[in-house]
C-alpha cells in the first residue's frame, strides 16, 4: 500500500506540472468581508474586464476571506464578489501595467440580501445531492421525494450509503462505524439504536444531511468511516434589524400497506436582544417487517433443517421537540439556553414466528409457533447552556457548552411458543416467557472551542472536552410455571456502565504559497471505562490514552482544478448496549447476546480528491481498521439447534474506494446529479479456531433528476443501486429502488404541495447468507418501502427574521452511543 500512496503523490506532482501557469505578468490580491467587517470564506471572486464585465479569471476566498489572481495580463479590470444571501459587489476599476504588477485592493464589503430572499430561494434551489470539496451534502429541505419520509429512508438514497434493514446496520463505502450527529452533536447510540432514531426522525424536520469522510481534529475522534451530521431546520436568516415572528406549519399523510401521518410546527421570534425559537412534531407510522430464515445445522453426523417465517406488524407514535432562547448581551457576547427531547412509543402487539424443523431426510419433526408481543418506550431530555464571545468581529471567538442528557427506556417482550407436529398435534408443553428491561442513561459533558485568525498566515483553533456517561440496564427474565411468573436467574442480568473521556485538540489552517493550503491538527483523548455485569459478577475495567492526528493539503492547480490530500486516525468505542452481556430471545432457537469484552477499533485513512470547476469530483481513498468491530457475528450451539448473533472484534479490514460525482445539465429545465462509488474490502482474522479471509469488490450508484415544469410545478426522480457485497460473515445480494415526486407552489409561494411515491415496484429488500465452518443460514427480509405520501407546508410571518443560532452541544458524541430509538 506504500506504493499506492507514493503513486498518488506522484500523480499530484505530475498534474501540478501539467497545469502549470505561464510567467506572472500581474498579481492582484484582496479581501472580502460582510458589512460588519467579518471575513467571508468560500466567496466566488471574479476578475472581469472593466469595460464590458467579460470574465477573465475566477477564484474562491479562503477561510480568512483572502483571494488572489496570478498571471494577469496588462489591462483595465474590476473584481466582483458573489455569494448566496449577499448582494453582488464590485471594486472600482484599476489597471495592470508595467508600473503596477502587484496590486493590493481595498476590502470588498458585502451586504446581506434581505429584499428578495423568496426569489433567491426559488431560482437558486440546491440539488438533492451536492458534492462539496470536503463532504457530500443531502439537501433534504427542498426535496420532493424526501418529503413525508424519515431520516433513515433519506439516507438510503445518499451515495455510498448502504443500510442492512435486517440488522439495522448503517455502512458508508462498505464500512460500518459511522458517527451520526444531530446539529453537530453526537448521539451515543448503538448502531441498531441509531437506525431506530433515524426511523423516528421525520424528514420534514431536517434541513440537510452532511457526509464527512475525513473530519478535522475539532471533531470527536469516534467514527472510523467518518461523520453523518443531520442538520435540523431553522428559519430563514435576515438582517440584524429584522424583528418579529415567523413560522412553518407542515402536515402530511401516507399509505403503503398501512396508514401514516405527521405534523410539525416551527416558530421563531426575535425582539430586541432576545431570540426565542421552538418546534414540535408528531408522527404516526404503522408498518411491518417480514423475515424468512433457513438454517442448516450439522451435529454428530446428521443434519437438522430449519425454515422460519416471521411477520411483525408494528405501530410507532413519536413526539419530538426543540426550544430555546438566545440572549444577545452585547455585540460581542451571546448566551443561550436550549432544550431538546423526544418521546417514542413502539408497539408490536401481534408478531408471529412460524418454524418448521426437519431431520436429515427432510421429514417434519416439529413445528414451533411463537407469538410475540413487544413494547418499547424511550424518552430523552437534553438541556444545553451555551456562551459565545466574539472578540473583534473578525472571526476571533470563544464558545462554551455545558450539557446534561437523560435517556429513559422500558422494553417489554412476551413470547408464547406452542410446539406441534406435522398434523398440528401438540408434542411439547407450551412455553410462556417474558422479559422486562428498564434502562437509564445519564450524560454530562462540557466543551470549549477557541478560534484565532492570524491574518494572511491562517487560522488557529483549539479546544477541550470532557464527558461522563453512566448507564444502568436491568433485564428481568421470567417463565410462566403453574400460573405463576418465576424469575429465571440464569437469563436475567443487570449491567452498569461508566465512561469518562477527556479530550483536547489544536489545529492550524493556512497557506504554504498562493496556491497551496494546509490544515494540520492533533487531538488527544483519554478514556476510562468500567462495565459491570452485576448478575454475572463480571467487571471489565479499561483505561487508555490515544493521539489522533489529521492532515489536509489543498493545491489550486488553476482556475478549474483543485487537488486535496488528507490523512486521519480515528477510533470507535463499543456501544453501551453491545457491551451488555444480556441475552435477548427472538424465539427458543434464536437469540442475540452482548459482549462485555469488545475492544475499541482504530482506523487510519488517506484520501486523494480532485475537484473540477467546483462541481466534478473524483476521490480515491484507502483505510485500514484494526480490531474491527463487527455486529451480528453468528454463533451456534449445535446440540441444542440454537443459532445466535453477537458483536466481536476481527483482526483487520482493508478498504479501497473510488468515488465519482458529476452533475449534468441536460437542458434549462432538467438537471442531474450522479454519484458512483466502487470499493474493495478485505477482512482477515482468526475466528472459531480457523482463519477467516474474505475479499470482494462492490459498487453503489445514485442519480437524482430535477425538472422545472413551469407555473409553479417541479418534479424529481431519483434512484439508487447497491451491488452484491460482504459485511463481516454475510454475503448480501444487490439492493435498489427509485422514487418519483411532483411539487406545486401555492398561496403566493408561501405554501408548497408535494406528492411522492417511494419504491413503486417494491424492489427494495435484503437477502444475505452466512456460511462459515458449520454455520450455514440465509435471511430474506422485506418491509414497507412502497409508500405514497402527500405533504403540505405553509410559511407564515416575517420570513426575514434572523434565525436561531446553529450550535453544537457537548453531549452529541455521547448520545450517539446511548440507546434510544425504537425497533
Amino acid at each position: 500500500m506504500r506504493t499506492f500512496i507514493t503513486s498518488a503523490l506522484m500523480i499530484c506532482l505530475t498534474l501540478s506540472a501539467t497545469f502549470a501557469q505561464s510567467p506572472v505578468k500581474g498579481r492582484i490580491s484582496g479581501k472580502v468581508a460582510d458589512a460588519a467587517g467579518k471575513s467571508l470564506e468560500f466567496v466566488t471572486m471574479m476578475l472581469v474586464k472593466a469595460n464590458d464585465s467579460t470574465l477573465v479569471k475566477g477564484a474562491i476566498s479562503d477561510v480568512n476571506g483572502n483571494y488572489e489572481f496570478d498571471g494577469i495580463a496588462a489591462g483595465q479590470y474590476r473584481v466582483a464578489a458573489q455569494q448566496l444571501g449577499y448582494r453582488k459587489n464590485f471594486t472600482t476599476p484599476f489597471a495592470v501595467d508595467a508600473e503596477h504588477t502587484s496590486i493590493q485592493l481595498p476590502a470588498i464589503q458585502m451586504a446581506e440580501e434581505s429584499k428578495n430572499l423568496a426569489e433567491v430561494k426559488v431560482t437558486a434551489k440546491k440539488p438533492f445531492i451536492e458534492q462539496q470539496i470536503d463532504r457530500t451534502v443531502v439537501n433534504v429541505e427542498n426535496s420532493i421525494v424526501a418529503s413525508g419520509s424519515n431520516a433513515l429512508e433519506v439516507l438510503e438514497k445518499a451515495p455510498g450509503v448502504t443500510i442492512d434493514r435486517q440488522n439495522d446496520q448503517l455502512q458508508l463505502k462498505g464500512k460500518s462505524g459511522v458517527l451520526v450527529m444531530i446539529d453537530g452533536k453526537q448521539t451515543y447510540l448503538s448502531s441498531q439504536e441509531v437506525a431506530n432514531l433515524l426511523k423516528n426522525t421525520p424528514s420534514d424536520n431536517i434541513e440537510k444531511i452532511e457526509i464527512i469522510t475525513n473530519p478535522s481534529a475539532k471533531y470527536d475522534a469516534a467514527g472510523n468511516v467518518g461523520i453523518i451530521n443531520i442538520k435540523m431546520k431553522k428559519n430563514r436568516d435576515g438582517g440584524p434589524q429584522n424583528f418579529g415572528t415567523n413560522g412553518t406549519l407542515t402536515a402530511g399523510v401516507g399509505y403503503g400497506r398501512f396508514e401514516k401521518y405527521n405534523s410539525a410546527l416551527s416558530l421563531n421570534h426575535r425582539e430586541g436582544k432576545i431570540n426565542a425559537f421552538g418546534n414540535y412534531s408528531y408522527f404516526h407510522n404503522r408498518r411491518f417487517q417480514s423475515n424468512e430464515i433457513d438454517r442448516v445445522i450439522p451435529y454428530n453426523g446428521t443434519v437438522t433443517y430449519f425454515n422460519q417465517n416471521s411477520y411483525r406488524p408494528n405501530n410507532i407514535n413519536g413526539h419530538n421537540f426543540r426550544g430555546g432562547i438566545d440572549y444577545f448581551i452585547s455585540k460581542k457576547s451571546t448566551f443561550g439556553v436550549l432544550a431538546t427531547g423526544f418521546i417514542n412509543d413502539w408497539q408490536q402487539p401481534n408478531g408471529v414466528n412460524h418454524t418448521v424443523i426437519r431431520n436429515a431426510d427432510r421429514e417434519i419433526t416439529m413445528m414451533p409457533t411463537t407469538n410475540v408481543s413487544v413494547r418499547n418506550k424511550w424518552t430523552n431530555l437534553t438541556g444545553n447552556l451555551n456562551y459565545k464571545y466574539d472578540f473583534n468581529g473578525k472571526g476571533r471567538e470563544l464558545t462554551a457548552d455545558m450539557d446534561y442528557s437523560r435517556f429513559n427506556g422500558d422494553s417489554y417482550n412476551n413470547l408464547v411458543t406452542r410446539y406441534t407436529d406435522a398434523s398440528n398435534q401438540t408434542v411439547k408443553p407450551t412455553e410462556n416467557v417474558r422479559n422486562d428491561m428498564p434502562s437509564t442513561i445519564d450524560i454530562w459533558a462540557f466543551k470549549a472551542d477557541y478560534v484565532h485568525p492570524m491574518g494572511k498566515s491562517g487560522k488557529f483553533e483549539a479546544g477541550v472536552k470532557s464527558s461522563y456517561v453512566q448507564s444502568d440496564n436491568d433485564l428481568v427474565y421470567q417463565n410462566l410455571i403453574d400460573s405463576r411468573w418465576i424469575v429465571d436467574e440464569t437469563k436475567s442480568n443487570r449491567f452498569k456502565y461508566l465512561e469518562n473521556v477527556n479530550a483536547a485538540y489544536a489545529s492550524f489552517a493556512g497557506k504554504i504559497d498562493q496556491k497551496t493550503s494546509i490544515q494540520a491538527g492533533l487531538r488527544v483523548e483519554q478514556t476510562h471505562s468500567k462495565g459491570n455485569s452485576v448478575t454475572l459478577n463480571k467487571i471489565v475495567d479499561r483505561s487508555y490514552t490515544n493521539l489522533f492526528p489529521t492532515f489536509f493539503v489543498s493545491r489550486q492547480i488553476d482556475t478549474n482544478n483543485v487537488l486535496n490530500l488528507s490523512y486521519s486516525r480515528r477510533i470507535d468505542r463499543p456501544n453501551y448496549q453491545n457491551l451488555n452481556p444480556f441475552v435477548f430471545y427472538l424465539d427458543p432457537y434464536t437469540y442475540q447476546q452482548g459482549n462485555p469484552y469488545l475492544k475499541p477499533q482504530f482506523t487510519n485513512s488517506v484520501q486523494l480528491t480532485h475537484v473540477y470547476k467546483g462541481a466534478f469530483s473524483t476521490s480515491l481513498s484507502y483505510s485500514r481498521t484494526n480490531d474491527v468491530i463487527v455486529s451480528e457475528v453468528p454463533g451456534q450451539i449445535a446440540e441444542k439447534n440454537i443459532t445466535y448473533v453477537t458483536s466481536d472484534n476481527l483482526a483487520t479490514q482493508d478498504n479501497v474506494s473510488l468515488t465519482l460525482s458529476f452533475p449534468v445539465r441536460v437542458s434549462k429545465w432538467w438537471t442531474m446529479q450522479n454519484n458512483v462509488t466502487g470499493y474493495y474490502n478485505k477482512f482477515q482474522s482468526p475466528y472459531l479456531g480457523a482463519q477467516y479471509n474474505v475479499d470482494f469488490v462492490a459498487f453503489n450508484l445514485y442519480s437524482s433528476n430535477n425538472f422545472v415544469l413551469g407555473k409553479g410545478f417541479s418534479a424529481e426522480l431519483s434512484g439508487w443501486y447497491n451491488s452484491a457485497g460482504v459485511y463481516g460473515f454475510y454475503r448480501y445480494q444487490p439492493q435498489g429502488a427509485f422514487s418519483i415526486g411532483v411539487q406545486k407552489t401555492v398561496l403566493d409561494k408561501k405554501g408548497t404541495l408535494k406528492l411522492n411515491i417511494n419504491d413503486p415496484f417494491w424492489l427494495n429488500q435484503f437477502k444475505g447468507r452466512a456460511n462459515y465452518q458449520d454455520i450455514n443460514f440465509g435471511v430474506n427480509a422485506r418491509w414497507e418501502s412502497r409508500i405514497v405520501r402527500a405533504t403540505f407546508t405553509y410559511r407564515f410571518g416575517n420570513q426575514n427574521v434572523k434565525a436561531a443560532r446553529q450550535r453544537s452541544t457537548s453531549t452529541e458524541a455521547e448520545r450517539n452511543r446511548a440507546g434510544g430509538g425504537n425497533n
Side-chain angles (χ1 to χ4, degrees), residues 317 319 342-347 374-380 407-412 436-439 819-823:
N317 290 283
H319 305 263
F342 61 78
I343 301 173
N344 292 331
D345 190 356
W346 182 89
Q347 298 183 46
V374 182
R375 180 172 183 177
N376 293 335
K377 189 172 183 180
W378 197 259
T379 62
N380 165 251
F407 292 83
N408 285 292
D410 191 6
S411 300
Y412 172 84
D436 185 52
M437 190 178 72
S439 59
N822 298 314
N823 294 331

Side-chain angles (χ1 to χ4, degrees), residues 199-236:
K199 290 177 187 176
N200 298 328
T201 302
S203 63
D204 295 311
N205 292 1
I206 301 172
E207 176 189 352
K208 60 184 176 181
I209 299 175
E210 298 177 325
I211 302 173
I212 311 169
T213 53
N214 260 359
S216 68
K218 181 176 182 178
Y219 293 93
D220 290 292
N224 84 86
V225 180
I227 292 173
I228 292 179
N229 183 31
I230 301 174
K231 288 196 170 184
M232 308 307 287
K233 281 184 179 179
K234 61 178 182 177
N235 292 325
R236 185 176 300 163

Side-chain angles (χ1 to χ4, degrees), residues 198-455:
L198 296 176
K199 290 177 187 176
N200 298 328
T201 302
S203 63
D204 295 311
N205 292 1
I206 301 172
E207 176 189 352
K208 60 184 176 181
I209 299 175
E210 298 177 325
I211 302 173
I212 311 169
T213 53
N214 260 359
S216 68
K218 181 176 182 178
Y219 293 93
D220 290 292
N224 84 86
V225 180
I227 292 173
I228 292 179
N229 183 31
I230 301 174
K231 288 196 170 184
M232 308 307 287
K233 281 184 179 179
K234 61 178 182 177
N235 292 325
R236 185 176 300 163
D237 289 333
Q241 301 304 316
N242 292 110
F243 299 137
T245 303
N246 67 9
T248 302
L249 177 66
T250 301
V253 295
Y255 193 83
R257 182 173 294 183
F258 301 110
E259 79 285 349
K260 304 98 173 44
Y261 46 85
N262 63 282
S263 60
L265 175 65
S266 177
L267 295 171
N268 192 69
H269 177 79
R270 186 177 178 92
E271 192 68 39
K273 293 185 175 183
I274 293 178
N275 189 89
F277 55 93
N279 59 58
Y280 164 80
S281 66
Y282 167 78
F283 67 93
H284 166 82
N285 189 352
R286 190 175 172 215
R287 61 189 185 183
F288 79 94
Q289 180 162 336
S290 64
N291 290 327
E292 296 177 5
I293 303 174
D294 70 271
R295 292 186 279 170
V296 182
I297 302 178
Y299 181 67
N300 275 351
T302 187
V303 176
T304 302
Y305 297 93
F306 276 73
N307 294 100
Q308 295 172 280
N309 187 295
S310 67
Y311 178 73
R312 302 195 300 271
N314 54 77
N315 299 294
I316 303 175
N317 290 283
H319 305 263
N320 293 267
F321 61 87
R322 179 177 184 267
I325 296 176
D326 288 333
Y327 178 65
F328 303 92
I329 303 170
S330 66
K331 290 184 178 180
K332 294 184 176 181
S333 298
T334 304
F335 174 76
V337 179
L338 175 68
T340 63
F342 61 78
I343 301 173
N344 292 331
D345 190 356
W346 182 89
Q347 298 183 46
Q348 178 191 291
N350 53 357
V352 62
N353 184 20
H354 295 286
T355 303
V356 177
I357 304 175
R358 291 180 169 88
N359 59 23
D361 297 324
R362 301 293 182 122
E363 298 170 335
I364 296 176
T365 59
M366 194 158 34
M367 297 175 59
T369 298
T370 301
N371 293 96
V372 184
S373 177
V374 182
R375 180 172 183 177
N376 293 335
K377 189 172 183 180
W378 197 259
T379 62
N380 165 251
L381 179 63
T382 299
N384 164 257
L385 300 178
N386 173 272
Y387 177 75
K388 177 181 177 182
Y389 185 79
D390 191 336
F391 289 88
N392 54 15
K394 296 182 179 180
R396 184 185 171 205
E397 62 183 34
L398 173 69
T399 59
D401 285 89
M402 184 175 292
D403 289 70
Y404 170 71
S405 185
R406 182 177 179 87
F407 292 83
N408 285 292
D410 191 6
S411 300
Y412 172 84
N413 294 345
N414 188 84
L415 291 80
V416 180
T417 303
R418 180 171 176 259
Y419 298 89
T420 62
D421 58 18
S423 59
N424 203 32
Q425 298 298 309
T426 300
V427 296
K428 189 177 177 181
T430 298
E431 291 182 359
N432 195 338
V433 301
R434 70 183 185 186
N435 58 68
D436 185 52
M437 190 178 72
S439 59
T440 59
I441 300 175
D442 293 285
I443 304 170
W444 295 265
F446 168 81
K447 75 181 182 76
D449 299 284
Y450 174 70
V451 181
H452 189 101
M454 304 172 66

